[in-house]
Amino acid sequence: MSSKPWFVYLIRCRNGTLYAGISTDVQRRLSEHQEGAPKGARYLRGKGPLSLVYQAHVEGRAEATRVEIWLKKQPRKVKESLIANDSEIHALFAKSQQDKQPKG
């Protein structure tokens, strides 16, 4: 059984805010958000035009969910750094997980 690749993505709204999400098909998901479809995020309704500004492949849904939750907690500076390609999401996420480990 082949599993679909998962991605974490960032969408920029008209007002400049950033929205983080996960999907196996980022372009389909962006279309759902743009159309205000029932499956689109409620947060994004009425905030268009929307533009996909970042996406990265992650290993499986569980990892995608962990990265998404982490990314949503990050300050705008970190998200903008990812968009500018100044940092790599996997390295940043791995470092944050190491920082959580008890020091001993």
Side-chain angles (χ1 to χ4, degrees):
M1 180 173 117
S2 108
S3 62
K4 293 183 179 181
W6 280 86
F7 298 88
V8 62
Y9 62 87
L10 287 170
I11 291 176
R12 190 180 306 275
C13 302
R14 174 183 58 232
N15 65 4
T17 58
L18 293 168
Y19 172 84
I22 61 171
S23 181
T24 57
D25 184 343
V26 177
Q27 290 304 317
R28 175 192 48 80
R29 193 70 180 123
L30 176 61
S31 293
E32 290 173 351
H33 292 316
Q34 288 174 326
E35 295 166 7
K39 289 186 175 184
R42 191 173 296 152
Y43 173 82
L44 295 174
R45 292 183 190 158
K47 293 191 174 146
L50 307 174
S51 57
L52 178 66
V53 292
Y54 179 80
Q55 70 179 20
H57 178 264
V58 289
E59 294 298 323
R61 184 182 180 123
E63 182 74 1
T65 301
R66 283 191 294 272
V67 172
E68 177 192 23
I69 291 168
W70 169 82
L71 186 55
K72 287 182 175 190
K73 293 177 182 177
Q74 297 309 298
R76 182 178 189 91
K77 180 179 173 182
V78 170
K79 296 171 190 172
E80 292 292 352
S81 178
L82 286 169
I83 294 165
N85 209 15
D86 292 335
S87 2
E88 210 273 325
I89 195 163
H90 300 288
L92 288 173
F93 179 68
K95 182 176 178 348
S96 75
Q97 298 308 295
Q98 288 173 349
D99 291 347
K100 285 183 179 180
Q101 298 299 320
K103 309 271 191 264

